[in-house]
Amino acid sequence: AQKVTQAQTEISVVEKEDVTLDCVYETRDTTYYLFWYKQPPSGELVFLIRRNSFDEQNEISGRYSWNFQKSTSSFNFTITASQVVDSAVYFCALEGGNNRLAFGKGNQVVVIP
Amino acid sequence: DTEVTQTPKHLVMGMTNKKSLKCEQHMGHRAMYWYKQKAKKPPELMFVYSYEKLSINESVPSRFSPECPNSSLLNLHLHALQPEDSALYLCASSPLGGPKGGGQPQHFGDGTRLSIL
């Protein structure tokens, strides 16, 4: 069975501060995929990044960066210099051999202007 | 704008009504999904279609009936719903990838906000 834990429920930051979202996962599969999605109030889930279990390279995309560490089963997400438009719910998700996405409970990020 | 289009955006229906939710994508994806999402919860998978055939049904009650008429369209037919079925219904699509078909990012629509009176 796959399990994803996002411990922080709601995180409030002042604009321009950095915010890091923690994601810890559990799986017995040797091949699996990790994802982050953003869900703004409009409802659509927006795909942000995918990592497979064999690729531990960290990634930076603009103000977003991801730190994947297999040793600690974590796939953390950092937003640098947060903006009001970053206010959303962020979901970490895992897909293993059952071809189903297991979502974490999500992190509600509130960026205060 | 999302590449997965869902209609209607909002739907209010009584428990005896029959209605349908529609989803369309033109990205050539051969996997399509229905999810149900309650407030402040993650999406829950309901159905998966692969190559227009139902491949996963997560023990969804029969009052929800999916249909995939072609590779671009996905419907969810609703009948005799209960108040607890009120939720955001999300459609998604993805390419089919790898020997087991997994690992591809799913592209989501804006969803249909369904309220059952």
Side-chain angles (χ1 to χ4, degrees), chain A residues 33 35 37 39 41-45 47 50 91 95 99-101 103-105, chain B residues 2 35 37 42-43 45 56 58 90 100 102-106 108-110 113:
Chain A
Y33 302 88
F35 302 83
Y37 285 87
Q39 188 173 35
S42 58
E44 171 196 4
L45 272 84
F47 164 69
R50 177 188 69 168
F91 289 100
E95 180 179 333
N99 295 335
R100 289 163 170 80
L101 272 180
F103 285 92
K105 291 186 177 180
Chain B
T2 179
Y35 288 86
Q37 187 179 23
L45 183 64
I56 296 176
E58 293 287 63
L90 291 161
K100 292 187 177 181
Q104 296 298 318
Q106 294 181 24
F108 287 81
D110 288 339
R113 294 190 186 274

Side-chain angles (χ1 to χ4, degrees), chain B residues 42-104:
Chain B
E44 299 173 8
L45 183 64
M46 300 174 72
F47 303 104
V48 181
Y49 274 82
S50 301
Y51 293 109
E52 295 89 69
K53 293 193 188 314
L54 184 64
S55 57
I56 296 176
N57 176 343
E58 293 287 63
S59 302
V60 178
S62 60
R63 58 185 184 268
F64 295 91
S65 175
E67 178 196 19
C68 191
N70 61 55
S71 59
S72 300
L73 293 174
L74 185 66
N75 298 322
L76 186 62
H77 303 298
L78 314 173
H79 174 54
L81 295 193
Q82 304 298 307
E84 61 266 27
D85 297 322
S86 297
L88 177 67
Y89 288 83
L90 291 161
C91 173
S93 70
S94 75
L96 283 167
K100 292 187 177 181
Q104 296 298 318

Side-chain angles (χ1 to χ4, degrees), chain A residues 7-110:
Chain A
Q8 310 130 303
T9 307
E10 180 167 331
I11 304 165
S12 293
V13 296
V14 176
E15 201 171 19
K16 297 185 183 176
E17 287 183 342
D18 298 347
V19 55
T20 294
L21 309 180
D22 298 330
C23 174
V24 175
Y25 62 91
E26 297 176 30
T27 180
R28 293 183 179 178
D29 293 321
T30 54
T31 300
Y32 54 88
Y33 302 88
L34 294 163
F35 302 83
W36 275 96
Y37 285 87
K38 172 183 179 181
Q39 188 173 35
S42 58
E44 171 196 4
L45 272 84
V46 178
F47 164 69
L48 297 178
I49 191 170
R50 177 188 69 168
R51 267 284 172 268
N52 70 47
S53 49
F54 301 106
D55 181 3
E56 283 195 74
Q57 277 193 340
N58 293 328
E59 181 154 338
I60 298 174
S61 176
R63 296 184 296 106
Y64 294 170
S65 62
W66 291 269
N67 182 4
F68 176 27
Q69 293 194 343
K70 281 182 77 171
S71 60
T72 55
S73 297
S74 65
F75 187 41
N76 298 338
F77 172 31
T78 297
I79 303 172
T80 302
S82 59
Q83 300 177 2
V84 173
V85 293
D86 297 325
S87 296
V89 180
Y90 292 85
F91 289 100
C92 181
L94 166 69
E95 180 179 333
N98 65 359
N99 295 335
R100 289 163 170 80
L101 272 180
F103 285 92
K105 291 186 177 180
N107 300 123
Q108 171 76 63
V109 173
V110 178

Side-chain angles (χ1 to χ4, degrees), chain B residues 7-13 17-21 76 78 81 86-87 112-117:
Chain B
T7 56
K9 293 200 180 305
H10 300 273
L11 179 61
V12 179
M13 57 187 287
N17 291 157
K18 285 184 181 181
K19 295 286 185 183
S20 296
L21 308 185
L76 186 62
L78 314 173
L81 295 193
S86 297
T112 294
R113 294 190 186 274
L114 177 65
S115 297
I116 307 300
L117 301 179

